[in-house]
Structure formats: structure tokens, C-alpha cells
């Protein structure tokens, strides 16, 4: 048996990295955004100051719970910009959920952080 600390399952399913560019908090998501990981995503998004850019380029799976976490940020009056270039897996769910009129998508982080 190993003495190494175990990483919680939600952290293994979804990695969130935050950086600040041009006055915006860029949250890069890698992995799966589902019912178990959406609360951590929502918390990370809510903790960022100002404009938040969520990069979904490396998201392999997006559930309705993840979409709801994004909508909750918007409902609190925060500006949320999504990076979901053509071919991004998250686009299908975003289109099916019908949120494209509420959540603005960009093809790159550079486009999303531009004034």
C-alpha cells in the first residue's frame, strides 16, 4: 500500500488552471465537466474577479450540470466568455442546450480577452 496522498476523483476528472491576461481571468478546463465536477467549476468561476474566460478547448465531456454552472455565473451578473473553437466537443452540448444567445463563444483565448 502506498503512502502517497490520494487525489480526489473530481480533481482527476477535471483539471482547472487559472491565469490572468489583459484584465481577464482565464480558466482552462481539461477533462470532464459533469455532475461531480460542475460544483468545483462553479466555485472556481465565482472566485475570479472581473471578466472570466472559460477555455473549453480541452474538455472531453460537458453535461447539463456544467452548462448550468456557466449560466449561474451569468445569472450573478458576471461576464463569462467561452472559448470553444469549431470541433470542440463542448459545442454540441452548448448548441443543444440553446445557450448560445446567452453565452458568447470565441474561437481562441486571444479573441476572448481582446477588448
Amino acid at each position: 500500500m502506498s503512502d502517497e496522498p490520494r487525489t480526489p476523483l473530481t480533481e482527476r476528472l477535471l483539471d482547472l488552471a487559472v491565469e490572468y491576461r489583459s484584465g481577464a481571468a482565464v480558466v482552462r478546463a481539461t477533462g470532464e465537466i459533469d455532475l461531480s465536477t460542475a460544483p468545483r467549476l462553479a466555485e472556481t468561476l465565482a472566485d475570479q474577479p472581473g471578466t472570466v474566460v472559460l477555455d473549453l478547448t480541452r474538455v472531453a465531456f460537458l453535461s447539463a450540470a456544467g452548462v448550468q454552472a456557466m449560466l449561474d455565473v451569468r445569472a450573478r451578473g458576471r461576464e463569462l466568455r467561452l472559448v470553444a473553437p469549431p470541433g470542440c466537443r463542448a459545442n454540441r452540448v452548448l448548441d443543444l442546450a440553446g445557450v448560445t444567445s446567452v453565452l458568447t463563444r470565441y474561437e481562441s483565448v486571444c479573441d476572448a480577452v481582446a477588448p
Side-chain angles (χ1 to χ4, degrees), residues 9-95:
L9 179 60
T10 60
E11 289 182 30
R12 288 182 284 172
L13 292 175
L14 178 65
D15 179 57
L16 298 170
V18 181
E19 67 179 82
Y20 299 93
R21 291 177 58 181
S22 301
V26 179
V27 178
R28 295 184 188 272
T30 303
E32 300 178 9
I33 303 173
D34 61 15
L35 189 60
S36 67
T37 60
R40 192 161 63 89
L41 173 66
E43 181 180 337
T44 300
L45 295 175
D47 287 347
Q48 304 314 310
T51 300
V52 179
V53 174
L54 176 58
D55 185 356
L56 299 170
T57 306
R58 294 186 194 117
V59 169
F61 178 80
L62 175 63
S63 75
V67 173
Q68 187 61 53
M70 295 175 214
L71 291 172
D72 288 347
V73 170
R74 289 286 308 199
R76 292 185 189 108
R78 303 287 306 284
E79 184 175 3
L80 177 64
R81 301 174 183 180
L82 303 180
V83 176
C88 177
R89 291 182 181 201
N91 280 328
R92 185 169 198 278
V93 174
L94 295 170
D95 290 338

Side-chain angles (χ1 to χ4, degrees), residues 100-115:
T100 54
S101 64
V102 178
L103 299 173
T104 306
R105 285 186 282 190
Y106 296 84
E107 290 192 19
S108 71
V109 171
C110 289
D111 290 343
V113 299

